[in-house]
Amino acid sequence: MGPFVCVKRLCLDVFCHQSVPLYLSEMAPSRYRGAFNMGFQFCVGVGVLIANLLNYGTQKIHGGWGWRISLAMAAVPASILTLGALFLPETPNSLIQHNKDPDKAKKMLQKVRGTDDIQPEFNDLVTANEISKTIKHPFKNILRQKYRPQLVMAILIPFFQQVTGINVISFYAPILFRTIGFGESASLMSAVVTGSVGLSMTFLSLLIVDKVGRRTVFAIGGVQMFVSQILVGSIMAAKLGDHGGLSKGYGFLVLILICSYVAGFGLSWGPLGWLIPSEIFPLEIRSAGQSITVAVGFLFTFIVAQTFLAMLCHMKSGTFFFFGGWVAVMTVFVYFFLPETKNVPIETMDRIWKQHWFWKRYVGEEDDKDTNNNPIITECI
């Protein structure tokens, strides 16, 4: 059974988590791109909530075979996803990139934008496609200095998303709640509660991200997660000790703080961890960049999941201080090194790096070399 579950998760991460955010970012208008893309994370949250409800219900089945129902039910959304994909149109970017009829791409762009006035955006797509054709090896090309900011984000954003500790809550919420004194049934219900909170905040993020900007949402969520984790760690250190559980009052306080933490993640790093990578890569390295993002996320999901129980046993309350420290680091990183991408057309995203106080020294220097020496074509031919 184990290998089949691993294959399922691998297919989910490789195909869905890589293709869906990119598809949405390419199809959505720039002013609504954040909301459209976050719809993906919102739907993931709906699925997680339904799964938690199924787990809560099936664990009451006598005989110990309820888990089989939970596992088998995953085939339902997988079937819907597979059938739905058959009816999805190609994005205008894809139609141009694969040398199909430009008129068809233009009509598709007019259709998804709901207007005939798309010539400037269409010209940007054509220009980006012409540049991408000069790139023969995108994985090699992404290592160049001019793509340094995108490469750094492709690695650090999924890494940071995992070391928020969210998968600790997702995977081990029942175990964690039993550790602090909840029973089996109450532990599963607590996981349902936290899932509902996260889903609600993702919906809120969907509504505000294109208005207040990505950086602001990152900052709000980061501060909320940091404070919540430090308080949870402090309560567990002071009241839980090495053995036993918390009193009922402290147990519910921890549950509230964990809900606050999940709310912060659902507002910020949950949806934005997928949105930002899907919108920052130029067409010529987009496939390579998104592949790196998914691979790094999958790797650290595995590492965190495999090490958490050992961390909880040895570090106890220190586990929450550990993840809280990482939340502080990533919040500072976003403040200083991630430029605002709100309302920036996806094919002109390179401008934000040229204007950034830190990244312009990398992007600007190589752009000057490209202008004077034209190394791009000679390197890729």
Side-chain angles (χ1 to χ4, degrees), residues 309-343:
L309 289 181
M311 290 176 62
L312 189 61
C313 290
H314 291 87
M315 297 176 63
K316 300 180 177 65
S317 59
T319 304
F320 292 91
F321 295 118
F322 173 80
F323 288 119
W326 277 113
V327 171
V329 170
M330 65 186 72
T331 302
V332 172
F333 174 84
V334 166
Y335 180 81
F336 285 106
F337 297 106
L338 180 66
E340 182 57 65
T341 59
K342 179 186 71 171
N343 295 335

Side-chain angles (χ1 to χ4, degrees), residues 7 37 96 100 103 113 120 157 189 204 208 256 267-268 299 314 318 328 364:
V7 170
N37 204 296
I96 296 173
K100 297 182 180 178
D103 290 335
R113 296 293 180 263
I157 286 182
M189 179 51 69
L204 174 61
I208 67 173
I256 291 172
L267 180 71
S268 58
L299 173 63
H314 291 87

Side-chain angles (χ1 to χ4, degrees), residues 29-239:
S30 59
R31 65 183 182 276
Y32 300 129
R33 187 174 60 242
F36 273 89
N37 204 296
M38 284 185 173
F40 164 67
Q41 182 66 23
F42 178 77
C43 291
V44 170
V46 171
V48 171
L49 178 60
I50 293 173
N52 284 332
L53 288 170
L54 280 172
N55 291 338
Y56 178 73
T58 56
Q59 67 93 25
K60 297 179 179 295
I61 297 176
H62 297 291
W65 52 271
W67 64 271
R68 293 179 173 86
I69 297 177
S70 296
L71 197 61
M73 288 299 292
V76 176
S79 301
I80 296 173
L81 185 65
T82 303
L83 292 174
L86 299 177
F87 298 95
L88 289 176
E90 290 284 352
T91 68
N93 307 61
S94 179
L95 291 172
I96 296 173
Q97 190 176 19
H98 292 91
N99 297 316
K100 297 182 180 178
D101 187 0
D103 290 335
K104 185 177 180 181
K106 189 172 184 178
K107 290 178 181 177
M108 177 58 67
L109 188 60
Q110 291 172 335
K111 182 178 180 180
V112 297
R113 296 293 180 263
T115 178
D116 293 335
D117 186 20
I118 48 82
Q119 194 61 44
E121 183 178 0
F122 182 74
N123 292 340
D124 287 338
L125 295 181
V126 173
T127 301
N129 180 64
E130 291 174 352
I131 295 174
S132 71
K133 287 181 179 179
T134 67
I135 306 300
K136 305 300 181 183
H137 307 288
F139 281 96
K140 179 180 178 181
N141 207 63
I142 199 173
L143 299 177
R144 292 178 55 192
Q145 180 175 306
K146 68 179 296 184
Y147 300 120
R148 189 66 47 78
Q150 290 93 336
L151 178 61
V152 170
M153 297 301 166
I155 295 172
L156 288 186
I157 286 182
F159 167 73
F160 284 148
Q161 188 183 44
Q162 297 310 314
V163 294
T164 58
I166 188 60
N167 278 326
V168 169
I169 303 299
S170 300
F171 295 163
Y172 298 114
I175 295 174
L176 180 62
F177 287 127
R178 283 201 303 271
T179 300
I180 62 177
F182 288 88
E184 177 73 27
S185 181
S187 298
L188 289 172
M189 179 51 69
S190 299
V192 172
V193 171
T194 56
S196 302
V197 170
L199 182 63
S200 301
M201 294 305 293
T202 299
F203 183 72
L204 174 61
S205 184
L206 183 152
L207 297 177
I208 67 173
V209 69
D210 289 314
K211 298 178 181 178
V212 304
R214 282 69 160 149
R215 284 162 49 85
T216 300
V217 176
F218 264 131
I220 295 172
V223 171
Q224 185 171 334
M225 286 192 293
F226 174 77
V227 172
S228 300
Q229 286 187 318
I230 296 302
L231 289 176
V232 169
S234 299
I235 292 173
M236 292 182 68
K239 300 297 181 179

